[in-house]
Short mmCIF file of all heavy atoms in Angstrom, two decimals:
data_model
loop_
_atom_site.label_atom_id
_atom_site.label_comp_id
_atom_site.label_asym_id
_atom_site.label_seq_id
_atom_site.Cartn_x
_atom_site.Cartn_y
_atom_site.Cartn_z
N PHE A 1 -22.59 -53.84 -135.80
CA PHE A 1 -21.77 -53.48 -136.94
C PHE A 1 -22.53 -52.69 -137.94
O PHE A 1 -23.74 -52.58 -137.80
CB PHE A 1 -21.10 -54.87 -137.68
CG PHE A 1 -22.20 -55.63 -138.23
CD1 PHE A 1 -22.46 -55.64 -139.65
CD2 PHE A 1 -22.98 -56.69 -137.51
CE1 PHE A 1 -23.40 -56.49 -140.15
CE2 PHE A 1 -23.77 -57.52 -137.97
CZ PHE A 1 -24.13 -57.36 -139.43
N THR A 2 -21.82 -52.13 -138.86
CA THR A 2 -22.39 -51.10 -139.81
C THR A 2 -23.09 -52.14 -140.98
O THR A 2 -22.45 -52.30 -142.10
CB THR A 2 -21.42 -50.19 -140.47
OG1 THR A 2 -20.68 -49.66 -139.48
CG2 THR A 2 -22.02 -49.21 -141.32
N PHE A 3 -24.36 -52.42 -140.72
CA PHE A 3 -25.09 -53.41 -141.56
C PHE A 3 -25.10 -52.93 -142.99
O PHE A 3 -24.94 -53.80 -143.92
CB PHE A 3 -26.49 -53.39 -140.99
CG PHE A 3 -27.37 -54.34 -141.82
CD1 PHE A 3 -27.40 -55.64 -141.69
CD2 PHE A 3 -28.46 -53.66 -142.68
CE1 PHE A 3 -28.29 -56.40 -142.38
CE2 PHE A 3 -29.21 -54.51 -143.32
CZ PHE A 3 -29.12 -55.81 -143.17
N SER A 4 -25.29 -51.64 -143.39
CA SER A 4 -25.58 -51.21 -144.65
C SER A 4 -24.32 -51.43 -145.59
O SER A 4 -24.41 -51.38 -146.86
CB SER A 4 -25.89 -49.73 -144.68
OG SER A 4 -24.94 -48.91 -144.16
N THR A 5 -23.12 -51.69 -145.00
CA THR A 5 -21.89 -51.72 -145.71
C THR A 5 -21.52 -53.15 -146.11
O THR A 5 -20.41 -53.41 -146.65
CB THR A 5 -20.71 -51.06 -145.10
OG1 THR A 5 -20.45 -51.67 -143.83
CG2 THR A 5 -21.00 -49.58 -144.84
N TYR A 6 -22.28 -54.14 -145.57
CA TYR A 6 -21.95 -55.54 -145.75
C TYR A 6 -22.86 -56.20 -146.71
O TYR A 6 -24.00 -55.86 -146.93
CB TYR A 6 -22.28 -56.26 -144.37
CG TYR A 6 -21.19 -56.07 -143.34
CD1 TYR A 6 -20.86 -54.89 -142.87
CD2 TYR A 6 -20.47 -57.30 -142.85
CE1 TYR A 6 -19.85 -54.79 -141.96
CE2 TYR A 6 -19.47 -57.12 -141.96
CZ TYR A 6 -19.19 -55.90 -141.47
OH TYR A 6 -18.23 -55.73 -140.55
N VAL A 7 -22.27 -57.25 -147.36
CA VAL A 7 -22.99 -58.12 -148.35
C VAL A 7 -23.76 -59.12 -147.40
O VAL A 7 -23.16 -59.64 -146.41
CB VAL A 7 -21.96 -58.88 -149.21
CG1 VAL A 7 -22.86 -59.97 -150.00
CG2 VAL A 7 -21.24 -57.91 -150.12
N ILE A 8 -25.01 -59.27 -147.68
CA ILE A 8 -25.81 -60.14 -146.88
C ILE A 8 -26.28 -61.37 -147.66
O ILE A 8 -26.61 -61.22 -148.85
CB ILE A 8 -27.15 -59.52 -146.42
CG1 ILE A 8 -26.74 -58.17 -145.62
CG2 ILE A 8 -27.97 -60.32 -145.50
CD1 ILE A 8 -25.99 -58.48 -144.40
N GLU A 9 -26.11 -62.51 -147.11
CA GLU A 9 -26.47 -63.76 -147.79
C GLU A 9 -27.42 -64.57 -146.91
O GLU A 9 -27.28 -64.51 -145.64
CB GLU A 9 -25.24 -64.52 -148.16
CG GLU A 9 -24.39 -63.81 -149.23
CD GLU A 9 -23.00 -64.47 -149.45
OE1 GLU A 9 -22.54 -65.17 -148.57
OE2 GLU A 9 -22.58 -64.33 -150.56
N TRP A 10 -28.20 -65.40 -147.61
CA TRP A 10 -28.90 -66.47 -146.87
C TRP A 10 -28.41 -67.84 -147.28
O TRP A 10 -28.17 -67.96 -148.65
CB TRP A 10 -30.43 -66.41 -147.12
CG TRP A 10 -31.13 -65.40 -146.42
CD1 TRP A 10 -31.53 -64.08 -146.81
CD2 TRP A 10 -31.69 -65.44 -145.06
NE1 TRP A 10 -32.11 -63.42 -145.88
CE2 TRP A 10 -32.29 -64.25 -144.84
CE3 TRP A 10 -31.62 -66.49 -144.07
CZ2 TRP A 10 -32.89 -64.00 -143.55
CZ3 TRP A 10 -32.23 -66.21 -142.93
CH2 TRP A 10 -32.80 -65.05 -142.68
N TYR A 11 -28.06 -68.69 -146.49
CA TYR A 11 -27.58 -70.06 -146.73
C TYR A 11 -28.72 -70.99 -146.11
O TYR A 11 -29.49 -70.68 -145.31
CB TYR A 11 -26.28 -70.35 -146.06
CG TYR A 11 -25.14 -69.67 -146.79
CD1 TYR A 11 -24.90 -68.32 -146.57
CD2 TYR A 11 -24.30 -70.32 -147.63
CE1 TYR A 11 -23.80 -67.75 -147.15
CE2 TYR A 11 -23.25 -69.83 -148.26
CZ TYR A 11 -23.01 -68.47 -148.05
OH TYR A 11 -21.86 -67.76 -148.69
N ARG A 12 -28.56 -72.32 -146.57
CA ARG A 12 -29.30 -73.26 -145.82
C ARG A 12 -28.51 -74.66 -145.81
O ARG A 12 -27.61 -74.84 -146.65
CB ARG A 12 -30.63 -73.61 -146.57
CG ARG A 12 -30.60 -74.23 -147.97
CD ARG A 12 -31.93 -74.28 -148.62
NE ARG A 12 -31.85 -74.94 -149.83
CZ ARG A 12 -32.97 -75.24 -150.64
NH1 ARG A 12 -34.14 -74.61 -150.26
NH2 ARG A 12 -32.86 -75.86 -151.74
N GLN A 13 -28.83 -75.48 -144.89
CA GLN A 13 -28.22 -76.72 -144.78
C GLN A 13 -29.29 -77.80 -144.53
O GLN A 13 -29.89 -77.98 -143.50
CB GLN A 13 -27.23 -76.88 -143.62
CG GLN A 13 -26.46 -78.07 -143.52
CD GLN A 13 -25.21 -78.01 -142.58
OE1 GLN A 13 -25.10 -77.00 -141.83
NE2 GLN A 13 -24.32 -78.84 -142.77
N PRO A 14 -29.60 -78.55 -145.72
CA PRO A 14 -30.47 -79.65 -145.66
C PRO A 14 -30.00 -80.77 -144.76
O PRO A 14 -28.83 -80.93 -144.50
CB PRO A 14 -30.74 -80.05 -147.06
CG PRO A 14 -30.16 -78.87 -147.92
CD PRO A 14 -29.11 -78.40 -147.08
N PRO A 15 -30.88 -81.58 -144.25
CA PRO A 15 -30.42 -82.77 -143.38
C PRO A 15 -29.42 -83.56 -144.17
O PRO A 15 -29.68 -83.99 -145.28
CB PRO A 15 -31.71 -83.51 -143.15
CG PRO A 15 -32.80 -82.56 -143.34
CD PRO A 15 -32.32 -81.56 -144.45
N GLY A 16 -28.27 -83.80 -143.58
CA GLY A 16 -27.25 -84.76 -144.16
C GLY A 16 -26.45 -84.16 -145.24
O GLY A 16 -25.68 -84.86 -145.96
N LYS A 17 -26.67 -82.81 -145.52
CA LYS A 17 -25.97 -82.26 -146.67
C LYS A 17 -25.16 -81.03 -146.23
O LYS A 17 -25.26 -80.58 -145.12
CB LYS A 17 -27.06 -81.76 -147.78
CG LYS A 17 -27.84 -82.99 -148.34
CD LYS A 17 -28.72 -82.50 -149.44
CE LYS A 17 -29.43 -83.65 -150.15
NZ LYS A 17 -30.37 -83.19 -151.18
N GLU A 18 -24.42 -80.55 -147.16
CA GLU A 18 -23.52 -79.40 -146.84
C GLU A 18 -24.41 -78.07 -146.92
O GLU A 18 -25.40 -78.05 -147.63
CB GLU A 18 -22.40 -79.32 -147.83
CG GLU A 18 -21.43 -80.44 -147.62
CD GLU A 18 -20.06 -80.28 -148.45
OE1 GLU A 18 -20.07 -79.33 -149.34
OE2 GLU A 18 -19.18 -81.12 -148.33
N ARG A 19 -23.85 -77.14 -146.33
CA ARG A 19 -24.52 -75.74 -146.36
C ARG A 19 -24.29 -75.17 -147.76
O ARG A 19 -23.27 -75.40 -148.43
CB ARG A 19 -23.85 -74.80 -145.44
CG ARG A 19 -24.60 -73.61 -145.01
CD ARG A 19 -24.00 -72.78 -143.98
NE ARG A 19 -24.02 -73.55 -142.68
CZ ARG A 19 -23.70 -73.07 -141.48
NH1 ARG A 19 -23.26 -71.75 -141.44
NH2 ARG A 19 -23.72 -73.69 -140.46
N GLU A 20 -25.34 -74.57 -148.30
CA GLU A 20 -25.34 -74.16 -149.63
C GLU A 20 -26.01 -72.59 -149.57
O GLU A 20 -26.88 -72.29 -148.80
CB GLU A 20 -26.28 -74.94 -150.53
CG GLU A 20 -27.66 -75.09 -150.13
CD GLU A 20 -28.54 -76.11 -151.04
OE1 GLU A 20 -27.87 -76.77 -151.78
OE2 GLU A 20 -29.62 -76.23 -150.82
N LEU A 21 -25.51 -71.87 -150.65
CA LEU A 21 -25.95 -70.48 -150.78
C LEU A 21 -27.40 -70.52 -151.31
O LEU A 21 -27.68 -71.28 -152.30
CB LEU A 21 -25.13 -69.72 -151.70
CG LEU A 21 -25.50 -68.22 -151.98
CD1 LEU A 21 -25.36 -67.44 -150.70
CD2 LEU A 21 -24.56 -67.66 -153.16
N VAL A 22 -28.31 -69.61 -150.78
CA VAL A 22 -29.62 -69.50 -151.27
C VAL A 22 -29.77 -68.23 -152.09
O VAL A 22 -30.21 -68.22 -153.15
CB VAL A 22 -30.66 -69.56 -150.10
CG1 VAL A 22 -32.05 -69.20 -150.64
CG2 VAL A 22 -30.63 -70.83 -149.41
N ALA A 23 -29.37 -67.00 -151.45
CA ALA A 23 -29.43 -65.81 -152.14
C ALA A 23 -28.48 -64.82 -151.49
O ALA A 23 -28.01 -64.98 -150.44
CB ALA A 23 -30.92 -65.23 -151.89
N ARG A 24 -28.17 -63.78 -152.34
CA ARG A 24 -27.08 -62.78 -151.94
C ARG A 24 -27.70 -61.44 -152.21
O ARG A 24 -28.24 -61.18 -153.30
CB ARG A 24 -25.88 -62.96 -152.69
CG ARG A 24 -24.81 -61.88 -152.56
CD ARG A 24 -23.58 -62.18 -153.38
NE ARG A 24 -22.83 -63.26 -152.82
CZ ARG A 24 -22.66 -64.32 -153.72
NH1 ARG A 24 -23.19 -64.34 -154.87
NH2 ARG A 24 -21.97 -65.31 -153.30
N GLU A 25 -27.51 -60.39 -151.34
CA GLU A 25 -28.02 -59.11 -151.62
C GLU A 25 -26.78 -58.22 -151.34
O GLU A 25 -26.26 -58.08 -150.15
CB GLU A 25 -29.14 -58.70 -150.70
CG GLU A 25 -30.12 -57.82 -151.30
CD GLU A 25 -29.68 -56.29 -151.25
OE1 GLU A 25 -28.71 -56.01 -150.45
OE2 GLU A 25 -30.11 -55.55 -152.01
N SER A 26 -26.33 -57.46 -152.28
CA SER A 26 -25.29 -56.45 -152.11
C SER A 26 -25.80 -55.18 -152.93
O SER A 26 -26.69 -54.56 -152.58
CB SER A 26 -23.95 -56.91 -152.54
OG SER A 26 -23.97 -57.32 -153.87
N HIS A 27 -25.21 -54.86 -154.02
CA HIS A 27 -25.63 -53.79 -154.88
C HIS A 27 -26.75 -54.46 -155.88
O HIS A 27 -27.32 -53.72 -156.50
CB HIS A 27 -24.46 -53.15 -155.65
CG HIS A 27 -23.60 -52.50 -154.74
ND1 HIS A 27 -23.94 -51.35 -154.07
CD2 HIS A 27 -22.27 -52.74 -154.46
CE1 HIS A 27 -22.85 -50.92 -153.33
NE2 HIS A 27 -21.85 -51.79 -153.54
N TRP A 28 -26.65 -55.77 -155.91
CA TRP A 28 -27.65 -56.44 -156.74
C TRP A 28 -28.05 -57.71 -156.04
O TRP A 28 -27.40 -58.10 -154.93
CB TRP A 28 -27.13 -56.80 -158.16
CG TRP A 28 -25.84 -57.46 -158.08
CD1 TRP A 28 -25.65 -58.79 -157.94
CD2 TRP A 28 -24.51 -56.86 -158.19
NE1 TRP A 28 -24.24 -59.04 -157.94
CE2 TRP A 28 -23.53 -57.91 -158.02
CE3 TRP A 28 -24.04 -55.62 -158.19
CZ2 TRP A 28 -22.23 -57.67 -158.04
CZ3 TRP A 28 -22.69 -55.32 -158.32
CH2 TRP A 28 -21.79 -56.37 -158.13
N THR A 29 -29.01 -58.46 -156.52
CA THR A 29 -29.33 -59.73 -155.87
C THR A 29 -29.05 -60.79 -156.70
O THR A 29 -29.04 -60.82 -158.04
CB THR A 29 -30.89 -59.82 -155.62
OG1 THR A 29 -31.68 -59.57 -156.78
CG2 THR A 29 -31.26 -58.62 -154.67
N ASN A 30 -28.70 -62.00 -156.16
CA ASN A 30 -28.45 -63.19 -156.96
C ASN A 30 -29.08 -64.41 -156.15
O ASN A 30 -29.16 -64.32 -155.00
CB ASN A 30 -26.93 -63.46 -156.96
CG ASN A 30 -26.03 -62.38 -157.71
OD1 ASN A 30 -25.54 -61.59 -157.14
ND2 ASN A 30 -26.11 -62.62 -159.10
N TYR A 31 -29.43 -65.39 -157.01
CA TYR A 31 -30.16 -66.51 -156.38
C TYR A 31 -29.58 -67.81 -156.85
O TYR A 31 -29.07 -67.84 -158.03
CB TYR A 31 -31.65 -66.49 -156.74
CG TYR A 31 -32.38 -65.34 -156.17
CD1 TYR A 31 -32.63 -64.13 -156.98
CD2 TYR A 31 -32.91 -65.31 -154.82
CE1 TYR A 31 -33.29 -63.03 -156.44
CE2 TYR A 31 -33.58 -64.26 -154.37
CZ TYR A 31 -33.71 -63.19 -155.16
OH TYR A 31 -34.38 -61.98 -154.64
N ALA A 32 -29.42 -68.77 -156.03
CA ALA A 32 -29.05 -70.14 -156.49
C ALA A 32 -30.07 -70.72 -157.37
O ALA A 32 -31.18 -70.33 -157.49
CB ALA A 32 -28.82 -71.00 -155.22
N ASN A 33 -29.61 -71.62 -158.21
CA ASN A 33 -30.48 -72.37 -159.06
C ASN A 33 -31.73 -72.91 -158.38
O ASN A 33 -31.54 -73.55 -157.33
CB ASN A 33 -29.76 -73.42 -159.79
CG ASN A 33 -28.76 -72.93 -160.85
OD1 ASN A 33 -28.87 -71.79 -161.23
ND2 ASN A 33 -27.77 -73.64 -161.17
N GLY A 34 -32.87 -72.78 -158.98
CA GLY A 34 -34.02 -73.26 -158.33
C GLY A 34 -34.66 -72.43 -157.30
O GLY A 34 -35.82 -72.74 -156.80
#
C-alpha cells in the first residue's frame, strides 16, 4: 500500500490488559502519557 499517505501508530498490549496507543505519526507526532 502507499505507506506515505497513511497515519502510522504503535500500540501495545500488556499482559492481561487491553491494547493501548503508544505513539502516532502523521503530519505531527503524539505520544501517550508516560
Side-chain angles (χ1 to χ4, degrees):
F1 62 99
T2 309
F3 176 77
S4 62
T5 65
Y6 279 63
V7 173
I8 304 298
E9 297 174 328
W10 283 97
Y11 287 78
R12 70 183 186 184
Q13 187 163 16
K17 297 184 178 180
E18 294 187 351
R19 195 172 296 187
E20 60 185 8
L21 178 67
V22 173
R24 174 184 295 118
E25 211 285 335
S26 56
H27 296 294
W28 54 84
T29 58
N30 296 96
Y31 297 92
N33 290 337

